[in-house]
Amino acid sequence: PTRSYVELVEALLEAEVEILEIVPVTGGGVAKLAAHPRPVTYRIKQWVEPPPIFQFMRSIGVSIMDCLKTLNWGIGFYLLVPQQSADRVIAIGRRFGYEICHLGHVESGERKVIFEPEGGIELGPPGS
């Protein structure tokens, strides 16, 4: 189901959490993280269990690459915050009923996403 993240963002702002970037994932899949023109690499270290519809798509032959470049793969919204704020963001989010996971980190480098849970698949920016 569609989820509004307004309450979460408001709670983080009230708690004076520095939000570096907000990335809604609708359209562009996991690769959408690299949509911003900054030369950085988004390294995803862990992932959530993909919803059944995505597992079904894989079972009928849709490639993991197509899924990651098109679908949100179970995550609807990315919040990029300083590393030292991650645990606090998770705690605040859970207090407001959001399921929040620390997926990875951002590092200097080529503009792309490295999806380590599937063996290090590299995803260029949307449209590449």
Side-chain angles (χ1 to χ4, degrees), residues 40-105:
V40 297
T41 298
Y42 299 85
R43 186 171 296 275
I44 297 176
K45 308 287 276 175
Q46 63 182 5
W47 201 252
V48 299
E49 181 72 21
I53 186 66
F54 299 139
Q55 294 173 29
F56 169 74
M57 293 178 79
R58 290 285 293 132
S59 76
I60 61 169
V62 178
S63 75
I64 187 68
M65 182 66 87
D66 286 341
C67 289
L68 294 174
K69 290 180 86 174
T70 307
L71 307 169
N72 70 21
W73 209 240
I75 299 290
F77 191 76
Y78 297 105
L79 280 171
L80 283 75
V81 299
Q83 181 73 28
Q84 66 271 17
S85 299
D87 290 339
R88 189 164 170 231
V89 168
I90 291 169
I92 291 168
R94 288 185 178 156
R95 193 168 62 229
F96 283 87
Y98 293 89
E99 186 178 335
I100 297 181
C101 306
H102 185 180
L103 300 175
H105 62 270

